[in-house]
Amino acid sequence: MNLSDRLRAERDPIRQYAIDYGLDFFEVIFEEVDFDQMNEIASYGGFPTRYPHWRFGMQYEEMSKGYAYGLHKIYEMVINNDPSYAYLLKSNQVVDQKIVMAHVYGHSDFFKNNMWFSKTNRKMMDDMANHGMRVRRYMDRHGVETVEDFIDACLSIDNLIDPHAPFIRRQGSTAEQPPSDHERETEHEITRLKSSDYMDRYINPPEFLQSQRESAVKKQEAEQHFPVEPQRDIMQFLLDYAPLSRWQRDVLGILREEAYYFAPQGQTKIMNEGWASYWHSKIMTTKALEPDELIDYADHHSGTLGSSPGSLNPYKLGIELFKDIEDRWNKGKFGPDYDRCDDIAEKKTWDKNLGLGREKIFEVRRIYNDVSFIDTYLTPEFCVDHKMFTYEFDPHTRQYYIDERKFDMVKQKLLFQLTNFGQPFIDVTDGNYLNRGELYLAHQHEGADMRIDYAKAVLVNVERIWQRPANLETVVDGQKKLFSYDGKEHNEKNLA
Amino acid sequence: MINKIDKDQTRFRKIVRGKIREDLKKYISHGEMIARKGRNIVSIPMPQIEIPHFKYDHRQTGGVGQGEGDQGTPIGSEDGDGGPGEAGDAPGQHILEVDITLEELAKILGEELELPNIEPRGTKNIQAERDKYSSIRRSGPESLRHFKRTYRAALRRQITAGLYDPKRPMVLPIREDRRYRSWRTIAKPQSNAVIIYMMDVSGSMGGEQKEIVRIEAFWIDTWLRSQYKNLTTRYIVHDAAAHEVDEETFFKIRESGGTRISSAYSLCKKIIDAKFDPTEWNIYPFHFSDGDNWGSDDTERCVKILGEDLFPIVNMFCYGQVRSAYGSGKFIKDLQEHFEDEEALTTSEIESKDGIMDSIKTFLGKGK
């Protein structure tokens, strides 16, 4: 349902304030929905039409229950699309709706201007609906369960993409072909210098020719390696080389496309929410708030930004960092002079009256993602002010406990949590392992082990798609291991 | 907006039902997992059905949080309500509470254990009459005219009379063609059933034994409830003497002392005589004990009551003997000796919680 007159009257000024502040958003279409519709839309990730799948039903059931028991309530939902679609919960108070609208304009501005979103499909609303139609057609033809099972398998690897891939230009878009036998057997011609017979030994020394020949063989072997370079976009690799039927290929492609569409939202969670919260707070407190709405506003705002002890609220972290950046650039608290200053008192009252803050945060929202955002703008002062700490797990008490509050550690942990969505880096390094067409995945171990039970379950799904044994190289307790699944049973062995 | 979520929800429910079926044995032996929720609904906890991904072991990665606290302050446990930060990475944290109706649960139970439907004893059915508009007549009020059937009758008449011209397919119903919806009276058998649970609460029956009885009673209830519209339950506890109690007391009471099973059987007989006329009721006495009766005199008396008073009037008499460290477990052998070919008696020995499923199958597998 479209916006009621009353809310339209609220929306128009908020939209104008947002424009006046320099926000540059896609047009936003607001729809008012009741809680049940809201739960439904939220289960589908904000899209009214998607492919059928049981997990949407599960999410819906969880959400409905959560709502019924008063555990949580979804206030806003906005999707990255041109125009952006946003949903308002009908039963909310007007002040809530105003906050949400201001918040949504912030999100839409972020979608439109942040470079990590620049490659996303802005007509995803339509494409999602098309995906749904295609999947439904396959279900009609091949049976719901067959298709759904395959979707389950694909979803299990939908984090095995390369979020940076859209920004990399690769030569030639055609997929490389596995080397044919013919290619394998070609002779390695070594160029000889021209010489008369008696000089040949000196001009083309045999030892040199030999080493040339060897390095040529090596080079060729490397070229014959398949894939030539480890490939992070495993979904694409499977799409290119797995022996799938046409509908399976299409389904895998659909899920890969959706994974890429959603990836930037995972990459910019802190920034995106921080930015939207910054703007709802700015617009509400300076412009849109009526005096009698103040308490409700404060209540809602603190509810959004509150954090339960111990956890990290992306809304809170984001908005505070943006505010901190704005303040620092307004006062000139950056650059070599500031960094070199040792006097804490002076640093505290440092104010060069530059007034560059607003400009700076607009720049930040354009070119950063969470990882670079934290890397660049998290300061020791901020860490102390916001009482940040790292935590570890104690296997004896089976509890998480506060480990330390050192800035370097906090930053390192936080970056680790955010890098690659906090998931392990996994590449496909060999598509013809043991020359038996087995798939070989390698985990780049960076200090933390993987959950082996999950890894094994994923291998089962990879094997289903690849249709040949799947292997995973990883490290468990310092020991390099190879886990394999051949379609019947799991194996594991230690690697040197 | 069209409600597409319904389909996905139905699919999800189906998957859940499949999971319950897979793990039925676990749910049966751990009756405490199933929580009663209102009259007809139970909620079953199950680990969240998850799509696996390659991911870190959160216990190794740790993370970053915000707030007060010194070094070493605990901030969350592995299986508490969400660890810090990324809540729910540890195993078994996401517990899904699935609501399921008792009927559905009974259906799953029935299908898994291959339980036959019970045929209520013929004469004991109360006939209830109900009118259903499922019939057709040639006369009736115009408001009930069945257009399709009228048209069909007209078409048939015209074809047989050679009046139908496929080139000009015109069908004209006349008075005789008219058909009207009409009712049919359906006699609906309605059967009543009563379960009379008897439990030995003498000193030798411990907590574990009672737990087994409780779980087994839950499943028997669930199944019989799906078979009879009208199910009543009565509870008797006995040691040396028998008392009728309510459900709560039945499962909680702690007694001690000796065992005289005949006391329970005669009380059972008394209750049936007073309230449950065997011509109207399907009667199911269930007796649970550790089989340690006091002296052979009493056993003689039991056999007499069973053979003369109870077997002729009940659908089935079930005796479940729970293994106990103290009991001699002789009673079940006595019963089997005396009533070798007795149709009405079913006995089952339950060694532990894992035996509950087989025992239920024994009791309910006869379809009586």
Side-chain angles (χ1 to χ4, degrees), chain B residues 2-3 24 70 73 82-83 89-90 97 107 121 131 137 169 200 234 283 302 316 342 349 362:
Chain B
I2 323 151
N3 247 357
L24 188 68
D70 293 328
T73 308
D89 262 14
E97 291 252 311
K107 212 174 129 200
R121 294 197 291 182
D131 291 338
R137 284 183 195 177
D200 180 355
R234 290 303 181 97
I283 302 170
C302 290
M316 183 167 62
E342 179 56 54
E349 225 179 332
T362 315

Side-chain angles (χ1 to χ4, degrees), chain B residues 56 78 90 93-94 105 108 135 140 200 208 212 229 263 294 305 314 334:
Chain B
Y56 285 125
E78 181 182 34
Q93 250 181 10
H94 270 293
L105 196 59
I108 293 172
S135 169
D200 180 355
E208 161 115 32
I212 289 174
K229 250 217 172 99
S263 65
W294 226 14
I305 300 174
V314 301
D334 294 338

Side-chain angles (χ1 to χ4, degrees), chain B residues 310-328:
Chain B
L310 289 177
F311 288 163
I313 56 170
V314 301
N315 287 42
M316 183 167 62
F317 186 96
C318 298
Y319 174 71
Q321 185 160 300
V322 190
R323 166 78 55 94
S324 144
Y326 310 104
S328 65

Side-chain angles (χ1 to χ4, degrees), chain A residues 40 44 48-49 52-54 56-58 60-62 65 69 145 148 155-156 158-160 310-312 386-391 393 398-403 405 410 413-414 416-417 422-424 426 448-451 454-455 457-458 461 472, chain B residues 1-5 8-9 11-15 37 48-79 83-86 89-91 94-99:
Chain A
E40 176 176 347
Y44 284 124
T49 311
H53 192 262
W54 58 265
F56 300 131
M58 175 169 79
Y60 174 73
E61 200 152 318
E62 275 188 322
K65 259 187 208 155
Y69 295 147
E145 250 159 64
E148 209 174 49
L155 284 175
S156 173
D158 76 351
N159 59 341
L160 302 181
S311 68
L312 207 60
H386 291 90
K387 304 185 175 124
M388 296 171 78
F389 58 77
T390 63
Y391 60 77
F393 183 74
R398 308 189 75 75
Q399 277 201 325
Y400 292 94
Y401 64 93
I402 296 178
D403 188 33
R405 294 181 179 272
V410 168
K413 267 267 144 86
L414 194 53
F416 182 80
Q417 239 174 335
Q423 288 162 349
I426 290 164
D449 292 356
M450 285 206 284
R451 283 281 300 268
Y454 280 73
V458 176
N461 288 326
L472 172 73
Chain B
M1 226 170 292
I2 323 151
N3 247 357
K4 281 172 231 76
I5 200 76
D8 292 325
Q9 210 181 354
R11 279 290 302 154
F12 168 62
R13 292 244 165 98
K14 225 168 141 183
I15 290 170
K37 240 181 157 183
Q48 196 183 38
I49 306 171
E50 214 178 338
I51 293 170
H53 283 107
F54 284 133
K55 63 175 181 184
Y56 285 125
D57 189 339
H58 193 58
R59 286 171 296 189
Q60 285 206 10
T61 57
V64 175
Q66 207 177 356
E68 304 283 348
D70 293 328
Q71 194 172 4
T73 308
I75 51 171
S77 64
E78 181 182 34
D79 29 34
E86 297 168 90
D89 262 14
H94 270 293
I95 293 293
L96 213 59
E97 291 252 311
V98 184
D99 288 348

Side-chain angles (χ1 to χ4, degrees), chain B residues 245-261:
Chain B
V245 294
D246 60 19
E247 181 176 359
E248 214 189 318
T249 322
F250 182 74
F251 291 117
K252 290 206 174 133
I253 196 164
R254 284 202 74 88
E255 295 276 311
S256 56
T259 313
R260 226 196 307 267
I261 295 178

Side-chain angles (χ1 to χ4, degrees), chain A residues 234-341:
Chain A
I234 297 176
M235 279 190 115
Q236 182 63 51
F237 186 85
L238 292 174
L239 209 49
D240 288 337
Y241 306 115
L244 298 173
S245 65
R246 195 189 284 238
W247 72 263
Q248 287 175 322
R249 204 172 295 278
D250 193 31
V251 167
L252 183 58
I254 284 173
L255 293 174
R256 178 174 172 272
E257 201 187 321
E258 296 192 0
Y260 271 106
Y261 169 80
F262 285 116
Q265 302 187 17
Q267 284 173 294
T268 59
K269 178 92 180 148
I270 293 172
M271 283 184 81
N272 205 341
E273 293 302 352
W275 184 251
S277 300
Y278 176 89
W279 285 107
H280 86 231
S281 123
K282 186 65 86 186
I283 289 173
M284 289 302 285
T285 51
T286 57
K287 307 270 185 183
L289 198 63
E290 303 291 334
D292 61 342
E293 293 172 339
L294 180 64
I295 302 290
D296 288 328
Y297 167 77
D299 191 30
H300 181 135
H301 186 73
S302 58
T304 315
L305 299 184
S307 46
S308 56
S311 68
L312 207 60
N313 178 342
Y315 292 74
K316 175 78 175 163
L317 184 59
I319 186 175
E320 293 300 342
L321 265 174
F322 271 118
K323 279 188 186 160
D324 188 53
I325 295 167
E326 187 179 24
D327 182 62
R328 284 168 59 203
W329 260 259
N330 273 337
K331 294 179 176 166
K333 287 176 162 183
F334 61 92
D337 284 349
Y338 180 75
D339 289 343
R340 236 174 274 136
C341 174

Side-chain angles (χ1 to χ4, degrees), chain A residues 312-483:
Chain A
L312 207 60
N313 178 342
Y315 292 74
K316 175 78 175 163
L317 184 59
I319 186 175
E320 293 300 342
L321 265 174
F322 271 118
K323 279 188 186 160
D324 188 53
I325 295 167
E326 187 179 24
D327 182 62
R328 284 168 59 203
W329 260 259
N330 273 337
K331 294 179 176 166
K333 287 176 162 183
F334 61 92
D337 284 349
Y338 180 75
D339 289 343
R340 236 174 274 136
C341 174
D342 295 331
D343 186 348
I344 295 179
E346 196 190 335
K347 266 185 142 171
K348 264 225 152 89
T349 54
W350 190 285
D351 193 350
K352 290 243 172 351
N353 280 317
L354 293 183
L356 294 172
R358 187 60 55 78
E359 198 184 319
K360 182 65 185 176
I361 58 172
F362 271 93
E363 176 197 307
V364 169
R365 79 96 159 75
R366 199 171 66 245
I367 55 179
Y368 287 88
N369 64 17
D370 281 351
V371 173
S372 48
F373 183 60
I374 296 292
D375 193 23
T376 317
Y377 296 110
L378 189 72
T379 62
E381 292 86 353
F382 186 92
C383 229
V384 172
D385 287 346
H386 291 90
K387 304 185 175 124
M388 296 171 78
F389 58 77
T390 63
Y391 60 77
E392 296 290 342
F393 183 74
D394 180 351
H396 300 296
T397 58
R398 308 189 75 75
Q399 277 201 325
Y400 292 94
Y401 64 93
I402 296 178
D403 188 33
E404 55 181 322
R405 294 181 179 272
K406 278 201 204 92
F407 170 68
D408 290 342
M409 285 311 297
V410 168
K411 184 170 165 182
Q412 194 191 326
K413 267 267 144 86
L414 194 53
L415 287 176
F416 182 80
Q417 239 174 335
L418 295 169
T419 304
N420 198 33
F421 314 108
Q423 288 162 349
F425 283 109
I426 290 164
D427 299 310
V428 49
T429 54
D430 199 343
N432 188 25
Y433 179 54
L434 301 175
N435 200 16
R436 291 200 299 210
E438 296 187 11
L439 194 66
Y440 194 96
L441 307 178
H443 168 213
Q444 288 181 23
H445 195 270
E446 282 169 358
D449 292 356
M450 285 206 284
R451 283 281 300 268
I452 296 306
D453 46 346
Y454 280 73
K456 281 181 172 171
V458 176
L459 277 184
V460 172
N461 288 326
V462 173
E463 192 274 346
R464 274 192 55 194
I465 298 171
W466 185 246
Q467 295 171 30
R468 287 287 300 149
N471 303 274
L472 172 73
E473 176 194 308
T474 183
V475 177
V476 181
D477 295 331
Q479 169 67 49
K480 209 174 187 186
K481 279 183 181 247
L482 186 71
F483 291 91

